[in-house]
Amino acid sequence: MKIALLPGDGIGPEIMAEAVKVLDALDLKLETETAPVGGAAYEAQGHPLPESTLKLAKQADAILFGAVGDWKYDKLERALRPEQAILGLRKHLGLFANFRPAICYPQLTAASSLKPELVAGLDILIIRELTGDIYFGQPRGRRVAVDGHFPGTEEAFDTMRYSKPEIERIAHVAFQTARKRNKRVTSVDKANVLETFQFWKDVVTEVHAQYPDVELDHMYVDNAAMQLVKAPKKFDVVVTGNMFGDILSDAAAMLTGSIGMLPSASLDSNNKGLYEPSHGSAPDIAGQGTANPLATILSAAMMLRYSLQQPQAADRIESAVQQVLGSGLRTPDIWSEGTRKVGTREMGDAVVAALTTKTITKS
Ligand code: NAD
């Protein structure tokens, strides 16, 4: 099993080092190779996604990604900005299904912006279609309007579109994933207003006929936003398009307290995937040794589960993280009165120690 490690910028290398420590502690036969990406790759090779990095990502069975970006690259032309590396990887690897779990650990309910009883035990999964919708639809651009409310003035436009196979494949992913969880899928749309999302709803309903054991309901995106902050535990798997998923998954992230806790996965049709924390490169805290490495460590667990078929190893990491939180260790982003503040490295070491303790107890 070969893993491409792409640490990137800002806190990327710091949190990646901790995830690698955890993977090493598992005693699995994992081969890893590191390559530059983002601003680091631009500095070294003049491009945020160099050919050699893309080649490694294509060859590997899975990719573990840190984060990219820094304000200092904001003036570069768009194609050379660090964030383009993620879009490039998604496109070249056909990563169309984005998994964003929102899990609220019982030990962290106080860090959530909602009342503890609303989020305690929360475990939902948002599956966002990642390569279509208004973000990629053509045509798009700026022009002088020939009609509309103000003909003859400047306007901008984008195109929302989904093809049937694009909706079918993400619907299959959602139903198959729900089978491994609580067998409930909520498909989020805006069918009351948008033609694209009436089509989305029809196609999801058609695919559902192949999964009679999974419950399906449909919800408009405005209601979904409301329900996410009113009664988030009602959901199991939420499947939606690129733009709605972008917005809802960030809202769901905040239910859990800190973005520093949230892993994510982006998968292709063969379950090969890119795994990364949901947060960015956090330039404001880079180099201080205070970043929370748990989102990256939990991303490594997702990688073991979804791409490398090592569910037991994934379970071990997730329970080690629970154990560490239970022991009261907290990086500053999740710290609260009565817990012990630790840095990035100490948190990674504690997860490794928890893994090792478990092994000793079992044998
Ligand atoms: P960010 O997620 O990097 O940071 C937002 C806030 O959360 C900051 O205060 C930061 O300190 C904090 N934070 C983030 N991760 C943390 C962690 N692991 N531990 C503790 N605190 C953490 O978002 P931003 O500030 O909007 O963006 C910074 C840079 O990251 C930008 O260049 C942006 O384009 C890039 N970005 C990259 C990705 C990615 O690589 N996938 C995603 C989002 C943003």
Side-chain angles (χ1 to χ4, degrees), residues 292-306:
N292 186 345
L294 293 180
T296 315
I297 290 171
L298 291 166
S299 299
M302 285 183 89
M303 174 177 79
L304 291 163
R305 175 170 295 118
Y306 291 113

Side-chain angles (χ1 to χ4, degrees), residues 326-349:
S327 73
L329 299 196
R330 302 282 188 273
T331 43
D333 58 309
I334 50 172
W335 179 83
S336 60
E337 211 60 56
T339 60
R340 187 158 81 79
K341 204 179 279 184
V342 295
T344 312
R345 229 180 268 164
E346 204 177 333
M347 186 56 106
D349 288 343

Side-chain angles (χ1 to χ4, degrees), residues 15-277:
I15 52 182
M16 179 66 80
E18 302 313 310
V20 170
K21 240 178 352 196
V22 169
L23 286 171
D24 284 347
L26 289 170
D27 285 332
L28 294 170
K29 287 199 174 65
L30 301 174
E31 188 193 331
T32 59
E33 192 175 333
T34 305
V37 74
Y42 173 76
E43 301 289 351
Q45 302 184 30
H47 196 279
L49 182 58
E51 273 304 319
S52 51
T53 300
L54 183 58
K55 191 170 159 210
L56 170 67
K58 283 182 175 168
Q59 282 169 352
D61 298 302
I63 301 142
L64 190 60
F65 188 96
V68 292
D70 192 292
W71 319 125
K72 70 180 175 191
Y73 301 114
D74 281 358
K75 290 207 169 65
L76 279 180
E77 66 173 274
R78 194 165 290 279
L80 294 179
R81 289 193 203 160
E83 293 80 3
Q84 292 301 312
I86 309 171
L87 299 179
L89 284 164
R90 283 178 190 164
K91 189 173 126 209
H92 288 291
L93 301 175
L95 305 172
F96 70 91
N98 184 229
F99 282 38
R100 288 268 296 257
I103 296 169
C104 190
Y105 293 93
Q107 302 88 344
L108 295 182
T109 46
S112 170
S113 44
L114 295 193
K115 291 182 203 129
E117 63 269 27
L118 290 184
V119 290
L122 178 78
D123 180 0
I124 64 180
L125 176 65
I126 299 191
I127 300 183
R128 164 189 171 196
E129 199 290 329
L130 206 54
T131 53
D133 204 352
I134 197 164
Y135 289 4
F136 292 93
Q138 293 291 341
R140 59 196 286 161
R142 290 182 185 210
R143 64 187 171 195
V144 174
V146 290
D147 49 18
H149 293 302
F150 297 99
T153 62
E154 238 194 312
E155 69 172 8
F157 63 102
D158 298 276
T159 303
M160 177 176 271
R161 61 193 290 179
Y162 264 122
S163 65
K164 192 169 185 189
E166 277 177 303
I167 305 171
E168 283 171 338
R169 65 181 182 178
I170 195 79
H172 281 295
V173 168
F175 291 124
Q176 282 163 18
T177 308
R179 273 187 171 159
K180 296 182 203 145
R181 297 174 46 100
N182 293 324
K183 299 197 169 117
R184 282 189 293 114
V185 171
T186 303
S187 170
V188 171
D189 61 56
K190 189 73 186 169
N192 50 344
V193 179
L194 298 169
E195 205 55 53
T196 314
F197 275 90
Q198 179 61 56
F199 184 55
W200 171 283
K201 186 173 179 177
D202 295 345
V203 176
V204 171
T205 305
E206 210 176 290
V207 173
H208 179 231
Q210 297 174 46
Y211 300 88
D213 53 322
V214 180
E215 203 183 300
L216 168 68
D217 69 323
H218 303 274
M219 196 178 278
Y220 296 140
V221 63
D222 37 352
N223 186 21
M226 205 160 74
Q227 297 305 325
L228 262 183
V229 289
K230 189 175 165 219
K233 284 192 264 183
K234 276 210 292 214
F235 295 105
D236 177 22
V237 172
V238 174
V239 64
T240 190
N242 204 345
M243 180 165 65
F244 298 157
D246 190 1
I247 299 164
L248 293 181
S249 59
D250 268 23
M254 284 328 291
L255 303 178
T256 69
S258 169
I259 198 147
M261 292 297 304
L262 291 178
S264 82
S266 303
L267 305 179
D268 74 1
S269 42
N270 299 313
N271 287 336
K272 172 170 171 170
L274 181 146
Y275 297 82
E276 59 175 331

